[in-house]
Amino acid sequence: MTHLPDQGPQPGVHDLGYARLDTDRLERTGDAEVVYGAGKTPSQVVELLRTLHATHPHTAVLATRLTPEAQSAVAAELPEAVVDPVGRTAVLGTPPVSRGTVAVVAAGTSDAPVALEAATTARVFGAHVEMITDVGVAGLHRILGVRERLDEADCLIVVAGMEGALPSVVGGLVGVPLVAVPTSVGYGASFGGVAALLGMLNSCAPGVTVVNIDNGFGAGVFAARVARRAAPREAKDES
Amino acid sequence: MTHLPDQGPQPGVHDLGYARLDTDRLERTGDAEVVYGAGKTPSQVVELLRTLHATHPHTAVLATRLTPEAQSAVAAELPEAVVDPVGRTAVLGTPPVSRGTVAVVAAGTSDAPVALEAATTARVFGAHVEMITDVGVAGLHRILGVRERLDEADCLIVVAGMEGALPSVVGGLVGVPLVAVPTSVGYGASFGGVAALLGMLNSCAPGVTVVNIDNGFGAGVFAARVARRAAPREAKDES
Amino acid sequence: MTHLPDQGPQPGVHDLGYARLDTDRLERTGDAEVVYGAGKTPSQVVELLRTLHATHPHTAVLATRLTPEAQSAVAAELPEAVVDPVGRTAVLGTPPVSRGTVAVVAAGTSDAPVALEAATTARVFGAHVEMITDVGVAGLHRILGVRERLDEADCLIVVAGMEGALPSVVGGLVGVPLVAVPTSVGYGASFGGVAALLGMLNSCAPGVTVVNIDNGFGAGVFAARVARRAAPREAKDES
Amino acid sequence: MTHLPDQGPQPGVHDLGYARLDTDRLERTGDAEVVYGAGKTPSQVVELLRTLHATHPHTAVLATRLTPEAQSAVAAELPEAVVDPVGRTAVLGTPPVSRGTVAVVAAGTSDAPVALEAATTARVFGAHVEMITDVGVAGLHRILGVRERLDEADCLIVVAGMEGALPSVVGGLVGVPLVAVPTSVGYGASFGGVAALLGMLNSCAPGVTVVNIDNGFGAGVFAARVARRAAPREAKDES
Amino acid sequence: MTHLPDQGPQPGVHDLGYARLDTDRLERTGDAEVVYGAGKTPSQVVELLRTLHATHPHTAVLATRLTPEAQSAVAAELPEAVVDPVGRTAVLGTPPVSRGTVAVVAAGTSDAPVALEAATTARVFGAHVEMITDVGVAGLHRILGVRERLDEADCLIVVAGMEGALPSVVGGLVGVPLVAVPTSVGYGASFGGVAALLGMLNSCAPGVTVVNIDNGFGAGVFAARVARRAAPREAKDES
Amino acid sequence: MTHLPDQGPQPGVHDLGYARLDTDRLERTGDAEVVYGAGKTPSQVVELLRTLHATHPHTAVLATRLTPEAQSAVAAELPEAVVDPVGRTAVLGTPPVSRGTVAVVAAGTSDAPVALEAATTARVFGAHVEMITDVGVAGLHRILGVRERLDEADCLIVVAGMEGALPSVVGGLVGVPLVAVPTSVGYGASFGGVAALLGMLNSCAPGVTVVNIDNGFGAGVFAARVARRAAPREAKDES
Amino acid sequence: MTHLPDQGPQPGVHDLGYARLDTDRLERTGDAEVVYGAGKTPSQVVELLRTLHATHPHTAVLATRLTPEAQSAVAAELPEAVVDPVGRTAVLGTPPVSRGTVAVVAAGTSDAPVALEAATTARVFGAHVEMITDVGVAGLHRILGVRERLDEADCLIVVAGMEGALPSVVGGLVGVPLVAVPTSVGYGASFGGVAALLGMLNSCAPGVTVVNIDNGFGAGVFAARVARRAAPREAKDES
Amino acid sequence: MTHLPDQGPQPGVHDLGYARLDTDRLERTGDAEVVYGAGKTPSQVVELLRTLHATHPHTAVLATRLTPEAQSAVAAELPEAVVDPVGRTAVLGTPPVSRGTVAVVAAGTSDAPVALEAATTARVFGAHVEMITDVGVAGLHRILGVRERLDEADCLIVVAGMEGALPSVVGGLVGVPLVAVPTSVGYGASFGGVAALLGMLNSCAPGVTVVNIDNGFGAGVFAARVARRAAPREAKDES
């Protein structure tokens, strides 16, 4: 009565008991499955990463939302993995040769964990990544100073908490596809990121799309898919 | 059983049956009572304005939130009144000699009704008013082009709907006291101005205060009180 | 006191009194300004469309959220305009030669107004558009039958009301960048589209981004920007 | 002043001081009372289970929402009880001979605690249970592969977190009565299961009913009542 | 640009231009498609009913949420249809021979439209229906007086607005499967039925499931599916 | 199928087809049933009032929430009824000899409809009523001027919209039982009375209870029940 | 800069540095101030109780919301105090001779802390208290069995969590003034007591008033004020 | 992959790795940057304070929201700093000669942390500060007793939790610009300060502005900017 009953082996599924890896996903969508670390034990994270890597030896596999304990376990048991304690990610294997550029723009230093999760994800999913940090709207000169770098990207990820105004400002400067990520940074009536989320959904700049609060991973997947399809610059210049 | 019973005359109260004017308020707070037009009939608005004007003949009295019908009635019966169909206000009498300057900044043309209500209120309450319109955050060059005018005001009123990002941008440019007014302009998840209200309450620029959605009147009262107390420019230059 | 004061001519701004066109936007972001019809009179819509078209004679200009009255006025006064009564749009001029393909996927026939607004917008902003309608999740065979068409697009726009489940299902089938549009279709605890919005923000399929409720225009702008940058198919096949 | 005063013995009520068992419930509704473990001490849980079992020796009695400490206490003091650490339940005594089949369908492995609580409850309340797990909507082939098993059940319990889309997909495949259980799995704007709850309430598939967030117990009671009344298969085939 | 493009004929789909009937649904789920009248013109409703009836001549087809105008059109053009102006439904054709009994219980007379929609739906979907009305919780003697009738049903539909307490009271009296329907009856902080919805989701009686606010149709479909599978009474008596 | 089926005559219930009067309520709770006018036709209101009056000829019967049309119908057909167009009530028959005093306190003139509904209800339910109006918290001298009248009442009903602060101020002045009624007066983030409701629920003055938004009727019933049980003044003076 | 500056002694105020006791309140409202224990250290609670007792030696003084540590400190330092660990209260001194009766009715055993806080408060504020517990609406026979005791009280306090239906049921049985207290007992979409609060505000039984979630203290103050003013039974029988 | 990449030195920015100080802000807005302590380690707080002080040696620099650990570290390493454990602030250096007066008014002792944060901020930003505490609306005599002190200030900061009624009462007494600060003090349906926030936004007293919940810092910055611009008293007397 107390266990998930055996359903027998299924093609394209790797059953670890506490999780079943969808090993067919790479073929179906072009991207391998990812280890979402929240709620998993350190040893589960290590085993899942190792299994994914064995299935996809020629690309990089990613784990996100790792607790400090899981980061230590990965560092100890998978020494070739690259662990980022701020972005709470681990990467095992070599990312694909990058195509296209994603620029990750962050309003404040407290947005760094989400921004780094987005950046690492975009790299693992095949894009070149540029970081542009600490360009909050209360200091416009900093944003204006990076306008050209923004314009050269194939897709922008703009990360901001509090009132979430940065995507509107950036979206008014350039016409590059822009994914906004609200963060839970804030207090009082920020309601854990809802104020920033609503701000971004109501942006007066056209062409802004939004992902869930703190969802750097989702933004990274999306932006990489856009960037790696983009035509190289000389082709674009004609558009 | 069907009428508000007579409570006898009270000092400082002018009883019109459907409303009781607090004629002492001018002495107590320095500002006369105002006719809030929502829910009142055109003839009630006319009578209230006339009574207030008779009580305070040496200053201007104000009516807000007037329906088109009430505006017509005021124009017909009180020809000396100045009626603003966009801001939905009427002013009867001569405003006091202005002291200090309030700059009213609006993001879009659809914010004009609220911005004009704020501007007219601030004038009636004794401040000089400058209007700076159509400076939404999606076009930064327009905001940057008015930076000096913003800096010379004694108090700013910044009106914006949708994501409500303009106060953060203005608040990062100058150190003038800033009152933000969210408007109900927007759609979908703007929730009738709640998105803008939350954005302004969570502004990353320090020193931003907020009034209720569409409350141009409240912002005008507050800003005029700040501006008319301000020391003249040469005194301020020493601060 | 009742008018927006004159601020003098500004470069890149065309002032019509009730609105100021940002005629520089095309240069800044690659896309011309658009007439947002909600809250505007039919004659204002006609004048704004005519002015925009005169400024940008070599491309198409767009008006959205047109009332039936505004649609009639445009049809009468600008006979060369193409008016869509379901999508509530009007287009004046010839759209640019399309680059890349946007597939607009809609769950039900009641989502058609938003889906058509998205489709028309994407065309005006330079993408080829394919419509795939009536593929709600309660009839999976219809979605599975169009899998190949989904996979060939450069960007997907998925429109759904009620529980907003369609983007999760589509996002699990293909790896194409996907913009989800919640609609206000529903009743009871759908809260005017909030249920669909939350469903899309919490999608279990990675790489889904979201725009505001009923914001087909925003999705169209974004998707066209992605599609027209995309490398042609033979280049993509190598990725 | 500090104690619940004695109210004297009442028929059909077994008073333990900190709780009063409604021992008549079995006769009134056909089902015995259950021990809801949240907020109870381990020894209270043990005593309540023992008392219920003594009152109803010929059937199984159930305890839910047991803390790890309470699970250990039950295992030590009532060795004949079956404890499920994932579903957080304990069962004492032999469930009735099962009539009818409940299929419990779960989207992800993180939904397992709620799915197992539902499954164990349905068994104790007299139904045969089938588990179908890890069939999230982002991998449709897995759902389509179990269509026949879904169709053969007398009642379905569909458990999902995040956007809660699974009941819509399942409800479009088969016409079996379907109870949806939203779980608190998710983050950001999932609001502890509210996104999934709203998604299920707004399902476009007709005939879906919903229970409270994480309420596997309620779904299990309901589904068992439906299943054990169902006519055997040969009778149904005529309908 | 302005029309849904032709997608060619599809098997199991009847395309009317403004709607596509899923004529395969009967085979897939055992129930025919239904005309949801909200947002449709009277002539569309008539045409859809006629088409559905032609496809399924041996059973009854249903239209819900009909405006008074649509009801008149149906009565005039389809004289054999049975129109219910309170429940806002129309039925064309002969319902199947009923199997099992659904009891529809309503708290107040203002809940009648939702209760009748549920009752008519359950009949069309193959169940016998009993109506038990005006048994609000503020008059317990009325509920207690119908206890036996409640106990004899195969499935209960309990409709209530305001605080939504009736399902808890009924659910404590009998062990029959119970579907609760919150209605939007109420005022002030009832929030259009949300108070009743929350009350029902949090019912202290086990085995209560809930549908969306005012969704009598959904409750009727579900309850009929439960009732028509139920074993006849003599078989149940053994359970 | 289209009518509520006949359930046969029941004792204590007077069935009018569209409503069933609970004529036993007077005996059970000491108060007769009331006609809630919202959603009823003028002729239904007239008939219900006439029937209630015939059943209870020796006391007064009450109808609330009457539309202007219903008020006219009552005035025309039941000329002995007292109709209050502001409070939207009608009273037929002679109220009982009053026992105890309810003071109804209202913040602004726009709260008059709710205050008068409460006052008329309390009179019909047997209390003497005093009205104290226009004592908003922004003019404290007016509240302080009526302190003695407040202290002499047996129960207070305090009606306020906007921020709902008046009950806190009154509750700090006297120790009389106080029922607070939030009204939907306000705009912007008042959310139709929710701001006032929350303010009253969180009152810092102990002993404040609250009814639903605009529910003057409920407050009147409650306060009359308290007042008519109160010991006469000379007895109270000893307490 | 770091301390609250001295404001000098004020009449009717006892300044303890971290709190200022309003020792005049007894005269103003008939009730002494109370120690609200949440957020206070154990020694602060002891000192405040001792000071209040010294000021009011001839009555009882009350402390509420005491942590276990504060309860131990009171028991050790003020041995004559009566401490209730379930209701989290302490009482020092002899309550006044009781006048009138408050009946505290609780739905479940988990509502006991709030019910006991209400009961102890009502006693300290001068009423006789009867406890009636474990009478949830899912077991109506228990409520019906205490109908007479309910009817004999001068004021009822009805405490319930989850859907908060008990006040509606009790309010339909008797005409005694009824104060409802929602508790935070529940899970999922109970939202910490909001579901119960909304249920009570929307009660279909007239004459129900509500206090804040878990606010047994406020209900106790209010009910005692009602009860102690009530005329003795023989006087009431005439009403 | 794991670090924020070097962006090279920028003028007006002091890069500490984990934070970048905007050392130009003093010139741009007249006020230096502030250390927001939440989420920073004690040693980061010390280093940031030291760096800011070195950049601005002739004025005071401020740190807010310091944990007890950060307060100890500052006290140990920067002995000349003034640390306020209640307001959780530290000040290093000599505040400017004060101009104008800010009066900080607090409703209860539990509002002290927010009130002191506001007071210290206003001092560091150049205003003289008066504290007026424990003047809740439930004891009006205390507010009335300080009316003159309120009237003499140049700007008021009014801090209150629970229902947030104090600003309305104060705003009705005097015409001084008033900034309201809601605090998270309260329980049940106070929703962490939302009830107070809504109360203040809906204040019936004109000229009240609001900052975010618990945002004493923002109120202090704003009020100081107002006060230090104010003309000295003799000049104001003429207004």
Side-chain angles (χ1 to χ4, degrees), chain H residues 174-189:
Chain H
V174 297
V176 180
L178 190 166
V179 182
V181 191
T183 67
S184 52
V185 172
Y187 59 106

PDB file of all heavy atoms in Angstrom, chain H residues 174-189:
ATOM      1  N   VAL H 174      -5.020  69.251  11.567  1.00  0.00           N
ATOM      2  CA  VAL H 174      -4.069  70.267  11.107  1.00  0.00           C
ATOM      3  C   VAL H 174      -3.863  70.164   9.609  1.00  0.00           C
ATOM      4  O   VAL H 174      -4.152  69.131   8.996  1.00  0.00           O
ATOM      5  CB  VAL H 174      -2.690  70.118  11.818  1.00  0.00           C
ATOM      6  CG1 VAL H 174      -2.830  70.343  13.321  1.00  0.00           C
ATOM      7  CG2 VAL H 174      -2.076  68.778  11.514  1.00  0.00           C
ATOM      8  N   GLY H 175      -3.339  71.223   9.002  1.00  0.00           N
ATOM      9  CA  GLY H 175      -3.125  71.271   7.565  1.00  0.00           C
ATOM     10  C   GLY H 175      -1.680  71.057   7.150  1.00  0.00           C
ATOM     11  O   GLY H 175      -1.312  71.394   6.034  1.00  0.00           O
ATOM     12  N   VAL H 176      -0.881  70.453   7.999  1.00  0.00           N
ATOM     13  CA  VAL H 176       0.532  70.215   7.707  1.00  0.00           C
ATOM     14  C   VAL H 176       0.650  69.011   6.766  1.00  0.00           C
ATOM     15  O   VAL H 176      -0.117  68.058   6.908  1.00  0.00           O
ATOM     16  CB  VAL H 176       1.284  69.937   9.030  1.00  0.00           C
ATOM     17  CG1 VAL H 176       2.752  69.683   8.773  1.00  0.00           C
ATOM     18  CG2 VAL H 176       1.077  71.086  10.008  1.00  0.00           C
ATOM     19  N   PRO H 177       1.594  69.053   5.774  1.00  0.00           N
ATOM     20  CA  PRO H 177       1.772  67.875   4.912  1.00  0.00           C
ATOM     21  C   PRO H 177       2.014  66.626   5.740  1.00  0.00           C
ATOM     22  O   PRO H 177       2.823  66.645   6.674  1.00  0.00           O
ATOM     23  CB  PRO H 177       3.005  68.230   4.064  1.00  0.00           C
ATOM     24  CG  PRO H 177       3.080  69.716   4.082  1.00  0.00           C
ATOM     25  CD  PRO H 177       2.498  70.152   5.394  1.00  0.00           C
ATOM     26  N   LEU H 178       1.342  65.540   5.412  1.00  0.00           N
ATOM     27  CA  LEU H 178       1.312  64.342   6.263  1.00  0.00           C
ATOM     28  C   LEU H 178       1.649  63.102   5.448  1.00  0.00           C
ATOM     29  O   LEU H 178       0.964  62.779   4.474  1.00  0.00           O
ATOM     30  CB  LEU H 178      -0.090  64.225   6.869  1.00  0.00           C
ATOM     31  CG  LEU H 178      -0.344  63.211   7.982  1.00  0.00           C
ATOM     32  CD1 LEU H 178      -1.686  63.510   8.650  1.00  0.00           C
ATOM     33  CD2 LEU H 178      -0.288  61.784   7.540  1.00  0.00           C
ATOM     34  N   VAL H 179       2.695  62.387   5.859  1.00  0.00           N
ATOM     35  CA  VAL H 179       3.079  61.113   5.250  1.00  0.00           C
ATOM     36  C   VAL H 179       2.678  59.995   6.208  1.00  0.00           C
ATOM     37  O   VAL H 179       3.123  59.991   7.360  1.00  0.00           O
ATOM     38  CB  VAL H 179       4.589  61.054   4.971  1.00  0.00           C
ATOM     39  CG1 VAL H 179       4.944  59.735   4.292  1.00  0.00           C
ATOM     40  CG2 VAL H 179       5.017  62.229   4.113  1.00  0.00           C
ATOM     41  N   ALA H 180       1.861  59.068   5.747  1.00  0.00           N
ATOM     42  CA  ALA H 180       1.398  57.964   6.579  1.00  0.00           C
ATOM     43  C   ALA H 180       2.235  56.723   6.316  1.00  0.00           C
ATOM     44  O   ALA H 180       2.555  56.420   5.165  1.00  0.00           O
ATOM     45  CB  ALA H 180      -0.070  57.673   6.288  1.00  0.00           C
ATOM     46  N   VAL H 181       2.592  56.004   7.387  1.00  0.00           N
ATOM     47  CA  VAL H 181       3.365  54.770   7.270  1.00  0.00           C
ATOM     48  C   VAL H 181       2.571  53.629   7.901  1.00  0.00           C
ATOM     49  O   VAL H 181       2.452  53.558   9.120  1.00  0.00           O
ATOM     50  CB  VAL H 181       4.731  54.881   7.984  1.00  0.00           C
ATOM     51  CG1 VAL H 181       5.604  53.687   7.621  1.00  0.00           C
ATOM     52  CG2 VAL H 181       5.420  56.176   7.665  1.00  0.00           C
ATOM     53  N   PRO H 182       2.053  52.705   7.096  1.00  0.00           N
ATOM     54  CA  PRO H 182       1.399  51.537   7.696  1.00  0.00           C
ATOM     55  C   PRO H 182       2.437  50.566   8.232  1.00  0.00           C
ATOM     56  O   PRO H 182       3.493  50.383   7.624  1.00  0.00           O
ATOM     57  CB  PRO H 182       0.645  50.917   6.518  1.00  0.00           C
ATOM     58  CG  PRO H 182       1.394  51.357   5.297  1.00  0.00           C
ATOM     59  CD  PRO H 182       2.026  52.683   5.627  1.00  0.00           C
ATOM     60  N   THR H 183       2.147  49.953   9.391  1.00  0.00           N
ATOM     61  CA  THR H 183       3.076  48.937   9.905  1.00  0.00           C
ATOM     62  C   THR H 183       2.418  47.577   9.863  1.00  0.00           C
ATOM     63  O   THR H 183       1.201  47.439   9.784  1.00  0.00           O
ATOM     64  CB  THR H 183       3.501  49.244  11.352  1.00  0.00           C
ATOM     65  OG1 THR H 183       2.362  49.111  12.208  1.00  0.00           O
ATOM     66  CG2 THR H 183       4.075  50.638  11.468  1.00  0.00           C
ATOM     67  N   SER H 184       3.258  46.559   9.938  1.00  0.00           N
ATOM     68  CA  SER H 184       2.762  45.186   9.871  1.00  0.00           C
ATOM     69  C   SER H 184       2.252  44.707  11.219  1.00  0.00           C
ATOM     70  O   SER H 184       2.031  43.509  11.404  1.00  0.00           O
ATOM     71  CB  SER H 184       3.857  44.265   9.338  1.00  0.00           C
ATOM     72  OG  SER H 184       5.034  44.425  10.070  1.00  0.00           O
ATOM     73  N   VAL H 185       2.039  45.610  12.165  1.00  0.00           N
ATOM     74  CA  VAL H 185       1.502  45.237  13.472  1.00  0.00           C
ATOM     75  C   VAL H 185       0.019  44.895  13.307  1.00  0.00           C
ATOM     76  O   VAL H 185      -0.733  45.683  12.737  1.00  0.00           O
ATOM     77  CB  VAL H 185       1.691  46.391  14.474  1.00  0.00           C
ATOM     78  CG1 VAL H 185       0.955  46.090  15.783  1.00  0.00           C
ATOM     79  CG2 VAL H 185       3.161  46.639  14.703  1.00  0.00           C
ATOM     80  N   GLY H 186      -0.391  43.748  13.825  1.00  0.00           N
ATOM     81  CA  GLY H 186      -1.784  43.323  13.726  1.00  0.00           C
ATOM     82  C   GLY H 186      -1.827  41.823  13.653  1.00  0.00           C
ATOM     83  O   GLY H 186      -0.789  41.153  13.697  1.00  0.00           O
ATOM     84  N   TYR H 187      -3.031  41.290  13.534  1.00  0.00           N
ATOM     85  CA  TYR H 187      -3.137  39.842  13.383  1.00  0.00           C
ATOM     86  C   TYR H 187      -4.438  39.521  12.660  1.00  0.00           C
ATOM     87  O   TYR H 187      -5.199  40.422  12.326  1.00  0.00           O
ATOM     88  CB  TYR H 187      -3.054  39.113  14.727  1.00  0.00           C
ATOM     89  CG  TYR H 187      -4.090  39.481  15.733  1.00  0.00           C
ATOM     90  CD1 TYR H 187      -5.137  38.617  16.027  1.00  0.00           C
ATOM     91  CD2 TYR H 187      -4.009  40.688  16.416  1.00  0.00           C
ATOM     92  CE1 TYR H 187      -6.082  38.945  16.963  1.00  0.00           C
ATOM     93  CE2 TYR H 187      -4.959  41.025  17.358  1.00  0.00           C
ATOM     94  CZ  TYR H 187      -5.999  40.152  17.633  1.00  0.00           C
ATOM     95  OH  TYR H 187      -6.934  40.487  18.562  1.00  0.00           O
ATOM     96  N   GLY H 188      -4.647  38.237  12.344  1.00  0.00           N
ATOM     97  CA  GLY H 188      -5.861  37.843  11.628  1.00  0.00           C
ATOM     98  C   GLY H 188      -5.920  38.543  10.283  1.00  0.00           C
ATOM     99  O   GLY H 188      -4.970  38.502   9.498  1.00  0.00           O
ATOM    100  N   ALA H 189      -7.030  39.195  10.016  1.00  0.00           N
ATOM    101  CA  ALA H 189      -7.242  39.811   8.714  1.00  0.00           C
ATOM    102  C   ALA H 189      -6.537  41.153   8.566  1.00  0.00           C
ATOM    103  O   ALA H 189      -6.995  42.006   7.816  1.00  0.00           O
ATOM    104  CB  ALA H 189      -8.736  39.948   8.447  1.00  0.00           C
TER     105      ALA H 189
END
